[in-house]
Structure formats: structure tokens, C-alpha cells
Amino acid sequence: TLALGIGANTAMFSVADATALRPPDVPRPGEIVRVFSSSKDTPFGEVSYPDFLDLRARAKTLPALVAYETGDFALAIKPQEPAKYLGGWVVSGNLFSVLGVEPTIGRGFLPQDDVVGSSVAVISHRVWDRDFQKASDVVGRQILLSGTPFTIVGVTPERFTGTELYFHPDIFVPLSTIRSVYPALPIDALADRTDRMLTVLGRLPAGVTASQAASELSVIATDLQRAYPDSNRGRTAVVLPEITARARLDSGGANGALVILMLVGLVL
């Protein structure tokens, strides 16, 4: 009876931990917050690229904002082989530096990588192991993403699986290359304020709270309403700690984890 009870409790708590309790596996995860573009119909919406640039340029309480878009990439290691689909992120060039993720091999992205015409990529430790057999000379090799050549510049640490609960990216490319990996996107996708496709994260400096950051960003959002009424009318900015944001976005998972924890307590 003790063995069954301990085993069941361990299994249930592991599920609750993985779905609701565990913070992102980055240094000082308690400093990570998520920024939403909020309206009456979409209280926790994503952010357009032009709005992200305005928030990043003006925010003082969140001096380091990053953005990414999740999706599936058509990856081919060699030109003659068929492509396979892997989950990936299209990211702002400062993503790895803000999250504090140091590549195992090579480097992350530099500011000069996040420009039109760039063709660099970072791969996950899993892809490095599975598709390149942990080759020490992987940096500098070329891969094809949707038929476009990209040069590998780094490999992420094995422990880093992104910041999403259920989506673990294997390929990272700069936002400026988004139409290379998603050719069907409109040519002005990054210039359209109504195209809200980006997840925006920030790292709180010492002494700054999420509520203070939210107050400042809501003022900036009000200015954007006045400047761009056609796209931003009725929209404000919401800032939540990442662990809280997860619960808001996945209320079913959070409630399920709470039920599991109650069952654990009952069994104990």
C-alpha cells in the first residue's frame, strides 16, 4: 500500500509540475514576464511587430524585450534529401542574450543577424545529436529551411527547450528571415500593425515589479491608440509573470494540475 501510494503521488506531482508549476529553464526565471496586446475580445493577445518595436524602444521598466513566432519549419540537411517538419521559432536577435541562454557550441544571434538578407540559424541540442551525430564542426554547415540555405552558427544547451509548455523548438532563425521560412506570408507581414503574431517576453530589472512594468506599458499603448487608431483602438498592454501567463493561457492545464495536487493531498 505504501509503495503504491508513494508511486501514484510521485507520478501525479510530476504531471502537475510539468504542466503548471515548473518555470522556464533559464537563469532567474522569476524575472521573466510576458507582454500581451489586450482588447475586450482578446484579453491575452499577441503583439504585432511594429507595436513590439515601439514598446521595446520606449519601455524603461522593461529595457530588454524579445519577440518570437512559433511554427513548423521544413528542414533538409542535404539538398537531395526530402524535407522533414520540425518546430521552430522566428526570433528577435536579442532572444538568447535576454533569456541568458549560452549556446553549447558556437554563438547565439547578434544584432547584425536580425536584418533582411541574413541567413543564419541556431539548432537545438536534440537536432545536433540526432541529425549531426554531435559533430564538433557543425557550426558553419548549411541546412535548407523551406528550400532557403541557412548557415548554422550555434547549438542550444540540452536543457533549453524554449519557454512554452507544449512546444519545444528545434530551429531558431532571426525575425528578418520570416518570409524565407514562411514564403506564403504577405510581403508586408512585419509592417502590418493588425498582424498580431508575436509572443513578447521581457526580463524585469532589479527592483522593478510586473505591475510597475504594466503601468508604464499601458501608457505607451494609450499613445499608440492615438497615433494608430485604425489598428490600435481599444487596445492596451498587459504584463504578467511568465508562470502566471501560462495559467491564464492554459486554464484547463492549470485547473487540471490543481485537481491533481488535491488528489495527491487526499492520498497523503
Side-chain angles (χ1 to χ4, degrees):
T1 303
L2 283 173
L4 288 173
I6 292 170
N9 274 338
T10 301
M12 288 189 292
F13 183 81
S14 296
V15 171
D17 178 53
T19 56
L21 304 178
R22 188 180 304 166
D25 195 357
V26 298
R28 306 184 307 282
E31 298 174 358
I32 303 298
V33 296
R34 187 176 295 207
V35 179
F36 297 98
S37 177
S38 178
S39 67
K40 182 179 179 180
D41 296 330
T42 312
F44 302 108
E46 295 179 316
V47 181
S48 69
Y49 186 64
D51 284 353
F52 162 68
L53 293 180
D54 285 329
L55 292 172
R56 185 172 68 175
R58 297 178 56 181
K60 301 296 189 294
T61 53
L62 283 174
L65 286 176
V66 302
Y68 65 86
E69 161 73 340
T70 64
D72 293 328
F73 293 178
L75 166 69
I77 305 299
K78 298 177 181 178
Q80 65 271 22
E81 71 178 21
K84 54 187 174 184
Y85 283 89
L86 297 178
W89 280 6
V90 189
V91 307
S92 57
N94 60 342
L95 179 95
F96 294 113
S97 60
V98 171
L99 293 184
V101 176
E102 291 292 335
T104 300
I105 295 179
R107 62 172 177 84
F109 296 128
L110 303 173
Q112 56 265 36
D113 293 326
D114 199 8
V115 296
V116 175
S118 174
S119 59
V120 296
V122 173
I123 62 174
S124 70
H125 189 280
R126 179 168 47 194
V127 168
W128 179 49
D129 183 11
R130 183 188 61 212
D131 297 314
F132 293 94
Q133 294 73 53
K134 292 189 175 180
S136 58
D137 62 348
V138 67
V139 171
R141 292 195 191 185
Q142 279 200 339
I143 55 176
L144 295 176
L145 298 175
S146 300
T148 302
F150 280 77
T151 301
I152 298 172
V153 295
V155 177
T156 61
E158 185 174 8
R159 72 179 190 280
F160 180 66
T161 56
T163 57
E164 304 279 338
L165 275 177
Y166 309 115
F167 189 97
H168 297 165
D170 280 316
I171 307 288
F172 304 83
V173 297
L175 265 168
S176 59
T177 68
I178 191 168
R179 292 198 70 250
S180 296
V181 292
Y182 303 136
L185 278 181
I187 194 169
D188 63 343
L190 293 183
D192 186 356
R193 288 187 185 270
T194 64
D195 193 348
R196 297 180 176 89
M197 59 180 176
L198 298 178
T199 297
V200 176
L201 303 177
R203 185 179 285 279
L204 294 169
V208 177
T209 65
S211 60
Q212 289 172 326
S215 297
E216 183 195 24
L217 265 62
S218 65
V219 172
I220 299 174
T222 300
D223 291 342
L224 294 179
Q225 285 190 59
R226 288 194 288 263
Y228 309 102
D230 291 341
S231 59
N232 289 54
R233 182 180 290 111
R235 306 197 73 87
T236 187
V238 172
V239 180
L240 295 175
E242 176 62 12
I243 195 73
T244 305
R246 287 182 176 187
R248 297 291 178 86
L249 292 172
D250 182 24
S251 58
N255 292 336
L258 179 60
V259 171
I260 288 173
L261 290 177
M262 292 173 64
L263 289 174
V264 168
L266 180 61
V267 172
L268 287 175

